[in-house]
Amino acid sequence: MAQDPSLPDIPFHAIVEQSLAGIYVLQDECFAYANATWAALVGYTPQEMIGAHLDRFVPPDFLPEVLRRYHLRLDSNPPSLRFITRGLHRDGRTIYIEVHGTRMMFGGRPAVMGVGVDVTQQLRNEQELRTSQQRLRDLAAHTARTLEEQRQSFARDMHDVLGGMLTSIK
């Protein structure tokens, strides 16, 4: 297929390296490629990631799940998968990354190529919003209960006081 002459000749590598999304290639459970954005998500440089096993970048309790999903994609079951995963930042904190990984051939062997974005803050914001909404519902329910209790108290007081006064007058 001929390239459209009106389009500039943009090298693929430059596009990948300047991507706002992290891009990676996993092969044999190790990173065969990581752009600067992907590496920065977990606090490393691409050079530090390439050749490193997944277990360095995934919380230990979540590694079996990540490896399961990796092998499912290698087995083309399904060949492409989108999900939110947990990553382990260099400083020890857990981050959340939305990834979309696809099976591909890399160097003549199966691999998983994927893109990902850090959704840690988005998930925190959503959780804070859910918590705030629940507190608002709880406060509204408490306010409604308190108003009903006060209404009943006023009704009793009015009945007792007014009833007593009317009886006296009678």
Side-chain angles (χ1 to χ4, degrees):
M1 180 200 260
Q3 181 177 345
D4 181 341
S6 67
L7 294 175
D9 183 21
I10 301 174
F12 174 75
H13 189 266
I15 294 171
V16 170
E17 286 304 316
Q18 294 179 26
S19 173
L20 296 176
I23 299 174
Y24 64 90
V25 175
L26 283 169
Q27 194 170 52
D28 303 323
E29 299 180 4
C30 295
F31 284 94
Y33 173 80
N35 72 351
T37 305
W38 181 262
L41 288 177
V42 288
Y44 292 88
T45 66
Q47 296 76 18
E48 292 172 310
M49 289 195 78
I50 294 172
H53 192 272
L54 267 169
D55 63 2
R56 185 171 168 191
F57 310 102
V58 177
D61 67 318
F62 199 60
L63 184 61
E65 179 62 19
V66 169
L67 290 173
R68 184 185 74 78
R69 291 176 184 181
Y70 168 75
H71 288 286
L72 283 175
R73 284 176 284 163
L74 281 183
D75 295 337
S76 295
N77 183 24
S80 182
L81 192 59
R82 182 177 178 176
F83 58 95
I84 294 178
T85 187
R86 288 189 284 156
L88 185 60
H89 193 275
R90 177 180 230 151
D91 65 12
R93 65 188 159 95
T94 297
I95 60 168
Y96 294 87
I97 306 168
E98 183 171 356
V99 296
H100 186 182
T102 302
R103 184 186 195 277
M104 64 175 276
M105 295 303 285
F106 185 75
R109 296 183 313 119
V112 172
M113 187 279 302
V115 296
V117 292
D118 186 344
V119 293
T120 306
Q121 192 58 48
Q122 176 186 340
L123 293 176
R124 276 192 196 124
N125 291 346
E126 289 171 2
Q127 180 57 45
E128 287 175 10
L129 180 60
R130 282 191 296 274
T131 300
S132 178
Q133 289 170 333
Q134 184 58 49
R135 281 194 300 220
L136 182 59
R137 283 190 294 273
D138 293 346
L139 181 60
H142 173 73
T143 301
R145 280 192 309 274
T146 302
L147 287 173
E148 180 59 22
E149 289 168 4
Q150 287 178 346
R151 186 194 66 74
Q152 288 177 359
S153 175
F154 290 149
R156 274 191 307 275
D157 289 348
M158 187 181 277
H159 176 269
D160 294 348
V161 171
L162 209 50
M165 291 172 84
L166 288 174
T167 302
S168 298
I169 292 173
K170 190 175 177 183

